[in-house]
Amino acid sequence: PYLPNKTTILLAEDNQAMINFLTKKLRDKYNVFCALNGREALKKLHDLSVLPDLILSDIMMDKMDGFAFAKVIAEQDSYNHIPIVFLSAKSTSADKLRGLRSGAIDLISKPFSFEILSQKIETILENIKKQKRAILTSSISNLKSVNNSGTVHADVSS
């Protein structure tokens, strides 16, 4: 069940054991939604009532792999702001570079330390909160500045 006080993670992973492991470890702290491949993850993104704050995706999946999924995400204004972290057995420098070029912010090699993944998730989500606060504070400050300078007038008589 979705809990509004928790941040949301979309997990695209074709290995059921990995889905079970990650869901069990993450669900106490996050809303976790799962998809078995990129195509299913895109459908889930469209169908969810709330956008995920982070996407964790495998690279090697059938129907639509992680690279293709990230490319589609990067091309859609509704989703391209959502950070993607790849979890993959593909860990050569070329794979990592391809993942980063496709829009992911990191590629974590399998097998991985859950503690490192957990800290990375927390750091990414905390940075997003800081960025949102900074944008909001700046916007409010700019609005106050415009209102105080008298350059914006609302005509309520018409």
Side-chain angles (χ1 to χ4, degrees):
Y2 171 77
L3 298 173
N5 61 326
K6 291 182 178 182
T7 52
T8 301
I9 294 175
L10 175 61
L11 173 62
E13 169 65 62
D14 62 349
N15 180 307
Q16 193 63 52
M18 182 63 77
I19 287 175
N20 293 342
F21 170 76
L22 288 172
T23 301
K24 183 179 178 186
K25 294 288 231 174
L26 295 170
R27 72 177 170 212
D28 288 339
K29 203 168 191 178
Y30 307 104
N31 293 303
V32 181
F33 296 98
C34 303
L36 293 172
N37 58 58
R39 188 178 299 159
E40 191 177 303
L42 285 174
K43 183 178 179 345
K44 184 110 15 188
L45 272 174
H46 183 266
D47 293 345
L48 286 173
S49 60
V50 61
L51 287 178
D53 300 285
L54 177 72
I55 296 171
L56 297 176
S57 178
D58 190 8
I59 292 176
M60 296 183 293
M61 299 179 287
D62 66 350
K63 296 183 182 162
M64 179 184 280
D65 70 14
F67 292 136
F69 173 56
K71 185 176 186 299
V72 172
I73 294 292
E75 293 170 350
Q76 295 189 17
D77 290 339
S78 301
Y79 307 132
N80 65 11
H81 66 283
I82 304 170
I84 299 173
V85 174
F86 283 129
L87 306 173
S88 182
K90 293 177 76 80
S91 59
T92 67
S93 293
D95 293 326
K96 287 182 181 181
L97 193 55
R98 184 173 177 203
L100 294 171
R101 285 184 175 150
S102 69
I105 60 172
D106 203 356
L107 188 150
I108 298 175
S109 300
K110 291 179 183 176
F112 55 85
S113 156
F114 180 77
E115 290 74 24
I116 290 174
L117 173 63
S118 179
Q119 185 57 59
K120 192 164 292 235
I121 290 169
E122 212 161 300
T123 300
I124 291 167
L125 294 174
E126 187 57 37
N127 283 338
I128 291 169
K129 283 181 191 173
K130 288 177 186 177
Q131 288 172 350
K132 285 179 180 178
R133 272 193 298 258
I135 290 168
L136 185 59
T137 301
S138 175
S139 297
I140 290 169
S141 177
N142 287 338
L143 281 173
K144 285 180 181 176
S145 174
V146 168
N147 286 338
N148 289 339
S149 70
T151 57
V152 175
H153 299 284
D155 183 6
V156 290
S157 61
S158 49

